[in-house]
Structure formats: structure tokens, C-alpha cells
Amino acid sequence: AFFLAEVLGYTLLIQAIGGLLFRIPSRNFVWLLGIWFLFGLAVLVVSWAFNKVLRGQGLRELGFRCHKSFTADIWLGVYGFAVIDLLSLPFDFVAMPDRASMAHALLAQLHFSSPLQILAGGSVLAMSLGLFTGAFHEEVRFRGYYQGGGTEELTPLSGFIIALVPFSLGHYFAHNQWSSAQVLATIISGIVLGLLYYATGSLIVVITAHTLANWLPFHPFLLGEMTGTRAVTI
């Protein structure tokens, strides 16, 4: 009960900070990414402060440490992404029309005029969005704080569930235009990321896997936009 009250207080504080930041008008994508960067920084600071005050722990206990080495942890994240991608592949195929439409709407706002701009600019944009709008602050929050704190205060299974449920529901309520296939793919990602964090205790691993899961699957849609045909995407 005490830990759930802690999670509630933490969540309300994060939402209040996010509410203030995202009321700032986003003039362009660079401005928007800057706001997301500030939000990620705020999540990191709040997570560290709560952990420090309530448990006497620092960033290392939150997950900012290497399981083996920095390079090895990056590779573990790559392998984790491969598992996520393979397990969610059936749902990705079902959700492909929705994702293609999202990619088209996103790229249309940038007014790219050449295939090279679409591929290079779209790839950089997808990497930036994948890291700052999702992977960094979500992993610090859900895996580092919720799962780490739940494991410390309760049990590893409790921590896993306390992270997985809001991670999955949060994506559903934040993207009410998503199909059920996209939601199921997100649940699979949450399960794999939770298991990775349980096995390694390293945010480097899960942030890498999450960023790649957001970034690399976007490229078939970039090829589709370059050629003007959805067949390339398939």
C-alpha cells in the first residue's frame, strides 16, 4: 500500500510537470524535440530524487550502470530489439496500413523534396523521436523507477507487473487512434523490455532496445514514401 501511494504521488508529479511543458507551443519539430528532451530530463530528476529520499539510492540503482560493459550492453539491447521485432511481427503486418498513414502524415509536414531528403531526414527524425518521445523517459520511468522500486519493495514479479500495466495502458490512452494490433505489439515490447531489465538491471540495455524498436521499423515506410507505392513497404 505504501509503495502504491508512492507510485501515485510520483505519477501525479510527472503528469503535472508534463502538463506545464506541453502547454508550451511547439513551433516546429526541433522545438517539439526540445520539449520532449526537457520532459525526459524532468523524469530523470524526479526519479532520482524520489529514489534518493525514499531509499537512499542513486542513479546506479535506478539502472544507469553497465551489466557487463557499455558496448556489451548496447549489443544486448540490439538482441532485445530483435526478439521484440520477431515476436511482434504478425501484429506489425496487421497494423501496417495505420503506420503507413502515420508516416505519410508526419513526412508531409516536413515538405521534403527529394528521395534522399525523405530517407536521410526521415531516418534522423525517426531516431530522434524514438529516443526522446519514447525510449528514454519511458524506460527511466517504467523500468527504472516502477519496476526497480517494485522489485525492491515487493517482489520481482510485482515490479514487472507494476511497470507493464501502465506502460501498456499509457500507450493505449495516449494513442486512441491505434488499432488493437498496435496495442498488442506494445504489450509484447513491454514484456520483453521488462524481462531484459530484470535480467540485466541496466537502463542502457532497455533504452537501446526501445529506441531501435521505435526507429528501425519506420524505414520501410520511408522507402514507401520515396517510391510512392505501399508495395515497397510490404
Side-chain angles (χ1 to χ4, degrees), residues 66-79 200 204-205:
C66 293
H67 174 61
K68 293 184 177 180
S69 69
F70 183 78
T71 303
D73 282 16
I74 293 292
W75 276 111
L76 283 172
V78 174
Y79 300 147
T200 65
I204 298 170
V205 175

Side-chain angles (χ1 to χ4, degrees), residues 1 19 44 46 56 74 76-77 92 108 111 114 119 121-122 124 131 135-136 152 177 179 182 188 198 212 218 226:
L44 174 61
V46 170
I74 293 292
L76 283 172
D92 289 335
H111 306 294
S114 71
L119 183 60
V124 171
L131 175 61
F136 182 79
E152 176 85 13
Q177 77 278 17
S179 65
Q182 287 176 297
I188 290 172
Y198 170 72
L212 292 175
F218 192 74
M226 286 172 61

Side-chain angles (χ1 to χ4, degrees), residues 66-150:
C66 293
H67 174 61
K68 293 184 177 180
S69 69
F70 183 78
T71 303
D73 282 16
I74 293 292
W75 276 111
L76 283 172
V78 174
Y79 300 147
F81 156 70
V83 173
I84 291 171
D85 204 42
L86 286 172
L87 292 178
S88 62
L89 193 59
F91 305 106
D92 289 335
F93 272 112
V94 175
M96 198 169 273
D98 293 336
R99 295 184 177 181
S101 298
M102 289 170 57
H104 178 75
L106 184 65
L107 291 170
Q109 299 179 46
L110 299 174
H111 306 294
F112 289 143
S113 58
S114 71
L116 181 61
Q117 284 182 334
I118 291 174
L119 183 60
S123 181
V124 171
L125 175 66
M127 168 64 88
S128 303
L129 290 173
L131 175 61
F132 292 119
T133 70
F136 182 79
H137 72 86
E138 286 181 4
E139 293 311 315
V140 171
R141 177 179 179 178
F142 294 111
R143 251 60 64 177
Y145 191 82
Y146 288 173
Q147 185 169 341

Side-chain angles (χ1 to χ4, degrees), residues 15 99 113-114 116 126 148 155 187 199 208 211 222:
Q15 288 180 334
R99 295 184 177 181
S113 58
S114 71
L116 181 61
T155 65
I187 294 173
T208 299
T211 301
L222 291 179

